[in-house]
Amino acid sequence: MDSIYHTITLRFLAEPSDVNFGGKVHGGSVMKWIDQAGYTCAANWSGQYAVTVYVGGIRFFKPISIGDLVEINAKIIYTGKTSMHISIDVFAGNPRQQQKSKTTHCVMVFAAVDDTGKPIPVPKWQPQTANEINLEQYAKKLMDLRKDIDEEMKPYL
Ligand SMILES: CC(=O)SCCNC(=O)CCNC(=O)[C@H](O)C(C)(C)COP(=O)(O)OP(=O)(O)OC[C@H]1O[C@@H](n2cnc3c(N)ncnc32)[C@H](O)[C@@H]1OP(=O)(O)O
């Protein structure tokens, strides 16, 4: 598959309806955008409907202002049999200026599913560049760390 399909970028303005009580963009809005970008990337890569399986360690570095141009980049960094691990980076800045800051990062896991909601196989992502290989290692490391987190959370699920 052409590597063009492994990454997508959503671009739009943060609207007044996204405001929180402090006058900046609501964290919940950012999480919704992250989910939409991740879903688009997963559906694009697999050619199937996909559902969110896991979102971990969302880090909000900087606030986003209303009126900022927001860019959300989502890219496949690892695929299992039915899962797609997607790295998401959010950038934002004044549309009158070129410069944008990274405001948020996380890694999400989506599963491709059939019409009954059963997970189905996805095409294998083959990293080529040094950066892509590094990101695949990052995804694998997070999978290992997640085993401990899952164990810790078990009594509360
Ligand atoms: C677009 C949206 O926002 S959808 C709305 C939010 N999401 C949902 O409603 C999904 C609800 N959850 C579900 O329907 C089910 O849990 C499913 C379909 C996601 C998974 O069903 P399961 O019976 O657990 O299937 P299964 O065990 O085969 O897991 C599917 C894949 O998810 C992976 N997975 C399961 N749990 C985890 C986890 N905690 N972390 C990371 N990956 C996980 C599995 O490793 C597997 O990937 P693989 O085939 O590449 O190894």
Side-chain angles (χ1 to χ4, degrees):
M1 186 175 284
D2 194 321
S3 64
I4 198 167
Y5 292 107
H6 92 282
T7 177
I8 63 108
T9 301
L10 302 184
R11 272 191 203 91
F12 50 87
L13 294 174
E15 296 188 5
S17 55
D18 297 314
V19 75
N20 67 11
F21 298 107
K24 303 286 186 185
V25 167
H26 207 287
S29 295
V30 179
M31 288 193 270
K32 181 179 167 188
W33 299 335
I34 285 171
D35 199 40
Q36 288 172 336
Y39 166 73
T40 308
C41 185
N44 209 328
W45 177 256
S46 62
Q48 305 290 342
Y49 183 61
V51 293
T52 317
V53 183
Y54 187 90
V55 189
I58 301 184
R59 176 73 168 94
F60 297 94
F61 307 114
K62 290 185 177 181
I64 300 175
S65 297
I66 302 303
D68 272 1
L69 179 61
V70 179
E71 269 187 23
I72 309 201
N73 178 257
K75 53 177 167 286
I76 300 274
I77 60 171
Y78 172 80
T79 52
K81 185 167 166 250
T82 65
S83 64
M84 294 160 278
H85 296 227
I86 296 175
S87 171
I88 315 258
D89 292 301
V90 182
F91 302 87
N94 188 321
R96 284 171 290 178
Q97 293 157 6
Q98 294 292 319
Q99 202 186 344
K100 283 183 198 57
S101 308
K102 190 189 276 200
T103 68
T104 313
H105 169 79
C106 71
V107 173
M108 302 182 74
V109 180
F110 283 81
V113 292
D114 65 14
D115 290 346
T116 65
K118 189 172 151 287
I120 46 176
V122 297
K124 185 74 195 152
W125 163 240
Q126 304 280 8
Q128 308 279 336
T129 67
N131 188 42
E132 288 167 357
I133 291 165
N134 190 35
L135 283 169
E136 189 183 60
Q137 291 305 320
Y138 171 48
K140 287 179 175 171
K141 177 82 182 161
L142 290 181
M143 280 167 76
D144 276 349
L145 293 170
R146 209 177 290 129
K147 282 177 195 152
D148 286 343
I149 295 172
D150 286 351
E151 202 51 42
E152 201 64 36
M153 289 176 74
K154 224 177 211 167
Y156 305 97
L157 294 178

